[in-house]
């Protein structure tokens, strides 16, 4: 298709369309999987028209087939069914439209779906999207709950009624979406993303009633699983009934068996909480009373002790001891003083008896020369005529040395 064209020599539209058709005609057949979204079987027409859509992306392609090809599976295939088609691309030149001409159509069985889901489950688990350490705890009392569910569905009614019955003041931010079919994945992903971005939403509940494996397939879609795993807000999965287990249950932060169970797990019961508060108040009151009773008994025991009944008793006892010790000290000191006085008297008597004054009183005299030396030997008396001083008991007088 490498052509030489210019603004002056353009190709007509028909030529371009025929060239594109020629290139597409050279393509071979291919097996394609998708979901039937539109099915047109006009009575008497030999061709059946249908639209095949990718359930994970907003992409679809037209498919045509001869009636005898479709009649082989007409009893088991309806709109919304997943099929595998062996088709060859075709180009309708007059309208410039691409379509697939189906030579064989096979419905995707439950067994094949389950095998693919198991493979997807293992792949996502290997990335850690189902790990327990990624799970976020739910708030005790969410102020605003985001709810993704079908419009006017039983799941919506169950969640709202049970939640408000348990806590009348609870508020909801509801996003109604398709919960099965070709538009379910895109709408649910968009709703979850919007609620996760909402600044006041504390927890998100994705709810749906029970259904077949095909009906619940949107909640095992890889796009939805990754969107939920990336949420900052805790997500609760409440899809189907107890036996149902889409992959969303593994990626969510909490799995509820039913929408009613989700309301019970997300919203506390006001009656139970009031009973718990009353129980804690009673327990606290008993504890405080026990402490007061113990302290009162301890105080009564302390006040009943003799020292508290007669607080001066200890002082009086100590005063008596002090008086006794003081008396004993005075007696001991008196004895010591008396003994010292006696010893002093004896010492004084001895001193007096041995003193020179006592000797002088017995009639003795002490001679001293003029220089004050005591005369102890006649030779010390000096020359005749020298004057000496004689000291006697009554005083002193002068004497002269004779020849």
């Amino acid at each position: 298709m490498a052509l030489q064209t210019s603004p002056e020599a353009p190709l007509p539209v028909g030529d371009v369309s025929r060239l594109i058709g020629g290139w597409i005609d050279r393509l071979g057949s291919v097996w394609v999987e998708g979901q039937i979204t539109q099915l047109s079987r006009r009575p008497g027409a030999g061709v059946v028209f249908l639209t095949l859509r990718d359930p994970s992306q907003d992409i679809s392609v037209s498919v045509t087939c001869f009636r005898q090809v479709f009649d082989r599976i007409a009893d088991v295939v309806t709109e919304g069914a997943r099929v595998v088609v062996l088709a060859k691309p075709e180009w309708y030149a007059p309208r410039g439209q691409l379509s697939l001409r189906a030579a064989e159509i096979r419905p995707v069985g439950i067994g094949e779906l389950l095998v693919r889901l198991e493979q997807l489950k293992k792949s996502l688990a290997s990335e850690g999207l189902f790990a327990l350490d990624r799970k976020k705890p739910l708030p005790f009392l969410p102020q605003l709950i985001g709810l993704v569910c079908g419009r006017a569905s039983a799941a919506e009614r169950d969640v709202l009624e049970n939640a408000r019955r348990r806590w009348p003041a609870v508020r909801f931010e509801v996003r109604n979406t398709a919960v099965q079919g070709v538009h379910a994945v895109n709408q649910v992903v968009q709703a979850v993303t919007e609620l996760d971005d909402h600044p006041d939403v504390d927890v998100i509940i994705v709810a749906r009633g029970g259904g077949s494996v095909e009906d619940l397939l949107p909640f095992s879609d890889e796009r939805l699983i990754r969107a939920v795993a990336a949420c900052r807000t805790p997500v609760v999965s409440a899809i189907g009934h107890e036996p149902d287990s889409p992959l969303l249950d593994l990626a969510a932060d909490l799995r509820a068996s039913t929408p009613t169970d989700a309301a019970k797990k997300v919203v506390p019961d006001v009656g139970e909480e009031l009973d718990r508060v009353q129980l804690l108040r009673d327990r606290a009151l008993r504890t405080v009373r026990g402490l007061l009773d113990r302290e009162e008994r301890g105080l009564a025991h302390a006040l009943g002790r003799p020292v508290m009944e007669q607080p001066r008793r200890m002082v009086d006892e100590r005063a008596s001891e002090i008086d006794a010790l003081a008396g004993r000290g005075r007696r001991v000191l008196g004895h010591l003083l008396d003994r010292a006085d006696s010893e002093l008297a004896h010492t004084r008597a001895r001193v007096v008896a041995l003193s020179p004054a006592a000797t002088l009183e017995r009639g003795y005299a002490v001679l001293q020369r003029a220089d004050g030396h005591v005369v102890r030997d006649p030779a010390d008396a000096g020359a005749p005529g020298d004057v000496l001083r004689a000291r006697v008991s009554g005083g002193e007088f002068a004497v002269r040395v004779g020849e």
Side-chain angles (χ1 to χ4, degrees):
M1 294 183 63
L3 302 175
Q4 297 295 328
T5 62
S6 67
E8 292 76 18
L11 284 178
V13 173
D15 291 348
V16 173
S17 182
R18 283 192 296 272
L19 288 171
I20 294 175
W23 180 79
I24 291 178
D25 285 341
R26 291 195 294 271
L27 298 177
S29 299
V30 61
W31 285 99
V32 182
E33 180 185 358
Q35 188 174 27
I36 298 177
T37 58
Q38 294 180 0
L39 179 61
S40 176
R41 301 174 61 190
R42 298 173 183 173
V47 178
V48 177
F49 297 89
L50 53 93
T51 300
L52 201 61
R53 184 180 184 278
D54 188 332
S56 298
Q57 304 182 47
D58 192 13
I59 299 176
S60 60
V61 64
S62 297
V63 179
T64 61
C65 66
F66 292 112
R67 177 174 289 277
Q68 57 267 30
V69 173
F70 188 81
D71 287 344
R72 299 170 191 163
I73 46 90
D75 296 335
V76 294
V77 169
T78 59
E79 287 190 5
R82 283 178 177 251
V83 294
V84 176
V85 178
L86 176 61
K88 185 179 185 305
E90 284 188 346
W91 182 259
Y92 186 59
R95 293 185 182 176
Q97 183 177 0
L98 176 67
S99 64
L100 299 177
R101 171 71 70 169
E104 183 179 352
I105 301 176
R106 296 180 185 179
V108 177
I110 299 298
E112 294 175 281
L113 288 176
L114 294 179
V115 169
R116 295 179 185 179
L117 288 179
E118 187 63 27
Q119 293 174 344
L120 178 60
K121 176 182 176 181
K122 292 180 179 179
S123 175
L124 296 177
S126 66
E127 297 181 31
L129 298 186
F130 304 152
L132 294 178
D133 55 3
R134 294 175 58 94
K135 308 296 183 184
K136 295 176 285 295
L138 269 61
F140 166 70
L141 181 59
Q143 300 299 310
L144 183 63
I145 300 174
L147 176 60
V148 181
C149 59
R151 185 178 302 278
S153 62
E156 179 180 7
R157 183 180 64 254
D158 290 345
V159 173
L160 296 179
E161 290 182 357
N162 284 278
R164 287 167 178 163
R165 188 180 300 120
R166 291 172 65 83
W167 199 277
V170 68
R171 297 183 297 119
F172 280 90
E173 184 75 18
V174 180
R175 294 289 186 274
N176 293 123
T177 66
V179 291
Q180 70 181 62
V182 295
H183 303 292
V185 174
N186 287 334
Q187 293 184 14
V188 173
V189 169
Q190 181 180 357
V192 169
T193 304
E194 289 179 1
L195 292 174
D196 185 46
D197 293 336
H198 197 297
D200 298 328
V201 172
D202 298 320
V203 63
I204 301 172
I205 300 177
V206 182
R208 185 202 189 281
S212 64
V213 175
E214 294 91 334
D215 293 339
L216 300 182
L217 280 178
F219 300 97
S220 293
D221 189 88
E222 182 176 357
R223 287 179 56 205
L224 177 58
I225 302 306
R226 294 189 181 278
V228 169
C231 283
R232 299 184 301 272
T233 308
V235 178
V236 177
S237 173
I239 306 301
H241 302 300
E242 183 68 34
D244 300 323
S245 182
L247 297 185
L248 178 62
D249 288 350
L250 302 176
D253 299 292
L254 179 68
R255 188 249 180 182
S257 57
T258 62
T260 299
D261 183 51
K264 293 180 179 180
K265 289 183 175 180
V266 172
V267 181
D269 185 86
V270 64
E272 294 177 359
E273 297 305 319
L274 289 175
D275 291 342
R276 185 176 292 110
V277 170
Q278 186 60 44
L279 178 64
L280 293 174
R281 290 180 61 183
D282 293 342
R283 183 185 300 174
L285 184 59
R286 288 194 300 271
T287 301
V288 172
R289 284 178 176 173
L291 292 174
L292 291 176
D293 292 341
R294 186 181 65 186
E295 296 302 322
E296 286 180 354
R297 289 193 299 270
L299 182 59
H301 177 71
L303 293 175
R305 297 179 63 183
V307 69
M308 298 300 294
E309 293 180 348
Q310 299 178 359
R312 293 184 56 83
R313 179 177 177 181
M314 183 182 295
V315 177
D316 295 339
E317 292 177 353
R318 295 297 183 268
S320 300
E321 293 179 4
I322 291 173
D323 292 341
L325 291 174
R328 180 180 176 185
R330 284 192 295 269
R331 290 193 298 273
V332 170
L333 182 59
H335 293 323
L336 292 175
L337 291 175
D338 292 343
R339 186 170 66 182
D341 183 66
S342 176
E343 292 178 352
L344 182 58
H346 286 86
T347 302
R348 183 174 180 278
R350 288 197 298 272
V351 169
V352 170
L354 297 176
S355 68
T359 303
L360 294 178
E361 287 181 355
R362 290 197 295 270
Y364 292 94
V366 177
L367 296 179
Q368 291 178 311
R369 294 188 308 183
D371 56 5
H373 289 284
V374 178
V375 178
R376 293 183 176 84
D377 188 89
D380 295 335
D386 289 342
V387 178
L388 300 175
R389 187 174 60 192
R391 183 177 178 185
V392 294
S393 176
E396 58 181 46
F397 55 89
V399 297
R400 191 178 298 275
V401 181
E403 293 181 358

